[in-house]
């Protein structure tokens, strides 16, 4: 049982919903076979065996139809039109066979009850499964209406009174309508789950795209004007040099100054892009995860007073962890805590929704969409490796791994400078004194 359980936990939420939907309709066919098997006992050995054989064929066609119809709803294969017509024909044939076998049975009263039950079960379940492969409310509900009309004709031609015939057709219409409605709602919910999952992926991609646009915009603002001035002054210096004018040297000196200034401004833009503000990252992570339906709490010490390098490194830890919880995790809860003790600052990010096999890091679990806070960037992945390199520059460490059943914890620890600048030292001591019990 460990194998199937592990396989189930590795599935993403949409895959779990799809699997549940498939097996729900598979179970309808199985219930049909078991129920008719019980009702076929009074019919006799050979008639009962023939009846079960025809029902088994119907169940097999139902299984194939469920699989193909749900694949069609997900866009994996074309609509199984021929298979739907085949199921409708097999359903009608099995129902009529049940009536024919019942007419030759030994015990007329019990055989009629078994025939009626078999006929109703086959028609109702066949109707609901056919509805999986049809779109449009009118078309869906036309299916049980057509089978109900056929049931009335069969009952009436066998000599049943009009009242009994209407009652039989009404029961078929009611039962088939319920299963048809169930099929519509099941496909609708499955589509919503997949759309929500795609929306979450799109939101994460848009966040990355917005950051790239911001960086490109800042770089353009910094370099656009300077490069235009450099081009003009270079052209002017060329013209002056061709005329042996001494002003050409001054223009080239100005070009050199602008190039050096542009180089400095580009470094500042890149530095600003690489450095993350810890307080802003904590607030942003909480807002994004909460909007995604994840209960995110942020507690512990405040980021005020920490050295800029420490805030930047921890901000990247928060950004990486929150992004991967959002994109790859199956979390319902995430807790972020910042604390300081004995000259160290410690940031921990803990979330649930971790597979037993994956344990949070990447590998196969990451790719299946069920990893923890480390997501697709496991112990050997580029995400955690990049964070470790960034923390190593300031003597920090990063630990990531399971923290209990279904939990994953990422912990970053950075030593605080023993002799920082005066202003930073006062701020850090004040922060430590506020949060130390």
């Amino acid at each position: 049982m460990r194998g199937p359980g592990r396989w189930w936990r590795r599935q993403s939420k949409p895959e779990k919903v799809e699997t549940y939907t498939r097996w729900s309709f598979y179970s309808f066919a199985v219930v049909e076979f078991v129920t008719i098997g019980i009702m076929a006992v009074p019919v006799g050995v050979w008639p009962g065996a023939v009846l079960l054989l025809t029902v088994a064929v119907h169940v097999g066609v139902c299984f194939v139809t469920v699989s193909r119809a749900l694949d069609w709803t997900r866009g994996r294969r074309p609509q199984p039109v021929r298979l739907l017509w085949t199921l409708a024909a097999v359903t009608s044939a099995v129902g009529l066979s049940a009536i024919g076998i019942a007419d030759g049975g030994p015990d007329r009263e019990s055989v009629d009850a078994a025939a009626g039950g078999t006929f109703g079960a086959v028609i109702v379940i066949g109707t609901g499964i056919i509805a999986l492969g049809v779109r449009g409310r009118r078309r869906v509900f036309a299916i049980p209406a057509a089978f109900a009309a056929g049931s009335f004709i069969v009952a009436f031609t066998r000599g049943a009174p009009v009242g009994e015939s209407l009652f039989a057709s009404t029961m078929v219409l009611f039962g088939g309508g319920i299963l048809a409605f169930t099929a519509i709602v099941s496909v609708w919910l499955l589509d919503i789950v997949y759309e929500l999952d795609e929306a979450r992926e799109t939101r994460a991609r848009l966040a990355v795209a917005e950051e790239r646009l911001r960086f490109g915009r800042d770089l353009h603002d910094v370099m656009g004007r300077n490069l235009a001035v450099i081009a003009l002054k270079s052209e002017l210096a060329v013209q002056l040099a061709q005329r042996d004018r001494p002003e050409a040297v001054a223009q080239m000196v100005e070009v050199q100054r602008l190039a050096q200034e542009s180089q400095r401004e580009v470094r500042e833009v890149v530095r600003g892009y690489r450095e993350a503000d810890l307080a802003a990252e904590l607030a942003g992570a909480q807002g994004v995860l909460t909007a995604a339906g994840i209960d995110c709490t942020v507690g512990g010490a405040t980021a005020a007073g920490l050295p800029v390098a420490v805030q930047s490194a921890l901000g990247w830890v928060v950004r990486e962890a929150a992004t991967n919880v959002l994109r790859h995790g199956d979390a319902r809860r995430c807790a972020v805590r910042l604390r300081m003790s004995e000259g160290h600052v410690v940031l921990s990010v803990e979330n649930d929704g971790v597979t037993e096999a994956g344990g949070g890091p990447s590998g196969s679990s990451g790719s299946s969409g069920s990893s923890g806070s480390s997501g697709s960037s496991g112990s050997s992945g580029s995400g955690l490796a990049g964070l470790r390199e960034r923390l190593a520059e300031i003597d920090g460490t990063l630990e990531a791994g399971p923290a209990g059943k279904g939990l994953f914890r990422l912990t970053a620890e950075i030593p605080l400078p023993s002799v920082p600048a005066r202003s930073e030292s006062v701020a850090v001591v004040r922060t430590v004194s506020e949060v130390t019990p």
Side-chain angles (χ1 to χ4, degrees):
M1 297 301 293
R2 185 179 180 84
R6 183 180 303 173
W7 169 82
W8 174 257
R9 286 188 292 271
R10 286 181 178 177
Q11 303 301 301
S12 64
K13 285 183 178 179
E15 290 171 343
K16 289 180 180 178
V17 174
E18 181 178 350
T19 301
Y20 172 79
T21 303
R22 286 180 183 274
W23 283 99
S24 295
F25 282 92
Y26 288 157
S27 66
F28 291 155
V30 173
V31 169
E32 171 194 331
F33 184 80
V34 174
T35 303
I36 294 176
I38 296 174
M39 291 189 298
V41 174
V43 177
V45 178
W46 288 108
V50 173
L51 180 62
L52 280 181
L53 180 60
T54 58
V55 172
V57 173
H58 182 260
V59 169
V61 177
C62 286
F63 266 71
V64 177
T65 305
V66 170
S67 178
R68 298 288 179 84
L70 288 178
D71 285 345
W72 168 64
T73 61
R74 302 306 322 138
R76 302 183 188 127
R77 62 173 71 238
Q79 185 180 15
V81 178
R82 293 183 179 179
L83 186 60
L84 295 177
W85 282 108
T86 300
L87 178 59
V90 172
T91 300
S92 302
V94 172
L96 293 176
S97 298
I99 299 298
I101 293 173
D103 289 339
D107 187 351
R108 183 69 183 178
E109 183 176 353
S110 60
V111 168
D112 279 346
T118 301
F119 183 85
V122 169
I123 297 298
V124 168
I125 293 176
T127 299
I129 292 179
I130 292 172
L132 279 176
V134 179
R135 287 294 176 272
R137 287 177 295 178
R138 293 183 179 180
R139 292 183 178 181
V140 170
F141 289 111
I143 298 172
F147 278 109
S151 301
F152 175 83
I153 294 174
V154 170
F156 186 74
T157 54
R158 292 184 70 235
V162 176
E164 292 184 5
S165 301
L166 285 175
F167 177 77
S169 62
T170 302
M171 295 301 296
V172 170
L173 179 64
F174 179 74
I178 290 179
L179 277 188
F181 178 76
T182 302
I184 294 176
V185 173
S186 299
V187 172
W188 177 65
L189 290 176
L190 184 60
D191 290 340
I192 288 179
V193 171
Y194 270 100
E195 288 174 3
L196 289 176
D197 187 69
E198 292 173 359
R200 186 172 67 173
E201 287 290 330
T202 302
R203 180 170 51 191
R205 288 194 297 268
L206 286 176
V208 175
E210 288 180 1
E211 186 65 15
R212 290 174 177 172
L213 288 174
R214 185 194 68 80
F215 180 72
R217 184 174 59 250
D218 292 347
L219 192 61
H220 177 270
D221 293 342
V222 169
M223 294 297 296
R225 180 185 62 84
N226 288 351
L227 288 176
V229 175
I230 289 174
L232 289 174
K233 287 187 173 294
S234 299
E235 183 179 356
L236 178 59
V238 170
Q239 296 293 332
L240 292 173
Q242 289 176 347
R243 298 175 185 178
D244 294 329
R245 298 284 297 273
E247 292 88 347
V249 176
Q251 294 297 327
M252 290 307 300
V253 171
E254 182 66 14
V255 168
Q256 183 182 21
R257 186 190 65 79
L258 288 172
Q260 292 174 348
E261 181 181 352
S262 299
Q263 188 178 23
R264 178 184 58 80
E265 291 179 348
V266 168
R267 288 197 188 102
E268 291 180 355
V269 171
V270 174
R271 186 182 302 113
Y273 178 72
R274 289 180 177 176
E275 292 179 354
D277 182 72
L278 180 56
E281 293 297 334
L282 288 172
Q286 186 176 26
V288 170
L289 294 178
T290 301
I294 300 173
D295 182 17
C296 180
T297 58
V298 177
T302 61
L306 289 175
V308 175
V310 174
Q311 286 205 41
S312 176
L314 293 180
W316 273 99
V317 173
V318 173
R319 182 183 298 181
E320 178 74 15
T323 300
N324 285 296
V325 169
L326 180 65
R327 293 188 64 182
H328 303 287
D330 193 17
R332 295 183 299 272
R333 180 183 61 83
C334 180
V336 183
R337 181 173 179 80
L338 180 68
R339 57 187 176 87
M340 302 181 191
S341 61
E342 300 179 356
H344 288 72
V345 57
V346 180
L347 175 72
S348 63
V349 182
E350 181 178 294
N351 65 278
D352 60 358
V354 180
T355 63
E356 179 180 329
S362 66
S364 59
S365 65
S367 61
S368 66
S370 54
S371 63
S373 62
S374 65
S376 63
S377 45
S379 57
S380 60
S382 59
L384 290 186
L387 290 180
R388 287 192 174 95
E389 292 175 0
R390 190 181 296 273
L391 292 174
E393 295 177 357
I394 52 176
D395 299 327
T397 59
L398 182 71
E399 295 181 359
K405 186 176 182 180
L407 297 178
F408 185 84
R409 182 183 297 126
L410 185 147
T411 304
E413 183 174 352
I414 302 175
L416 294 175
S418 57
V419 187
R422 179 175 179 82
S423 59
E424 287 188 350
S425 177
V426 174
V428 171
V429 171
R430 184 182 298 114
T431 305
V432 174
S433 62
E434 290 174 355
V435 300
T436 304

